[in-house]
Amino acid sequence: MRIRQAWPDDASAVAGVYVRSWHAAFAGLVPQRYLDAMDPSREESGWKTRIAETQWPTSGVLVAETEAGIIGFAGFSPSQETPAIAEIGTLYTMPEVWGTGIGKQLMLATLTTLGQADYAQATLWVLEDNERARRFYEAAGWHADGAAVEDTTGGAAVNLTRP
């Protein structure tokens, strides 16, 4: 497995990981009709744009790939609240590799890249009810700072917390 910067040609595979991960991770947490409507082919153009607009190393997408292809990715950018702080906006892997350490390696590679961009601090948000993700971030050394926001996903209000 190797981790590298994503390129626009990776958008289709990133969209596939994104949708597969959402289907598995958010079932029962966000409206099922929203999950059922997710389709990698509709997500691809957004990922292609996001990857193409990368300002490496202050923003970008890293992908984890094996001989079988891309199995995970992480995206980061300056925080909208405080641009001097990095925000890890996405970190997803294929459900079949959950618990194998791929996510941890992606997190470490992302933090290394953020250090190269001279960010002194990073933040992220996680769905409050996503206990698996919250355990992952806590195991990676993230600690809740008490910040919480309400977001809307698929027409439903969901609570996000900042670990």
Side-chain angles (χ1 to χ4, degrees):
M1 198 264 317
R2 77 176 181 132
I3 297 174
R4 62 170 175 81
Q5 182 180 349
W7 302 106
D9 289 347
D10 296 322
S12 176
V14 167
V17 171
Y18 178 73
V19 170
R20 290 271 318 280
S21 183
W22 266 69
H23 284 172
F26 298 118
L29 301 177
V30 300
Q32 189 60 43
R33 70 186 180 287
Y34 180 80
L35 296 174
D36 291 344
M38 292 181 80
D39 183 301
S41 63
R42 284 197 306 277
E43 300 287 341
E44 182 178 351
S45 66
W47 283 107
K48 186 173 287 243
T49 299
R50 181 174 178 179
I51 293 167
E53 292 175 351
T54 289
Q55 298 293 313
W56 198 263
T58 58
S59 69
V61 176
L62 291 170
V63 294
E65 67 180 349
T66 66
E67 305 78 34
I70 292 174
I71 57 170
F73 70 94
F76 54 90
S77 62
S79 166
Q80 290 183 1
E81 294 175 345
T82 310
I85 296 175
E87 184 170 314
I88 300 171
T90 56
L91 196 156
Y92 297 107
T93 63
M94 295 294 266
E96 48 276 8
V97 300
W98 290 354
T100 65
I102 302 295
K104 182 178 181 178
Q105 290 178 52
L106 267 169
M107 176 61 76
L108 292 173
T110 301
L111 293 173
T112 297
T113 302
L114 296 178
Q116 293 167 354
D118 292 327
Y119 285 113
Q121 186 178 351
T123 189
L124 58 87
W125 293 93
V126 63
L127 187 66
E128 185 175 69
D129 293 336
N130 189 340
E131 292 181 26
R132 179 188 219 10
R134 290 179 65 190
R135 283 192 310 269
F136 168 81
Y137 292 121
E138 288 169 11
W142 295 82
H143 301 288
D145 66 3
V149 296
E150 187 176 272
D151 193 26
T152 303
T153 300
V158 295
N159 294 315
L160 302 175
T161 185
R162 194 165 53 200

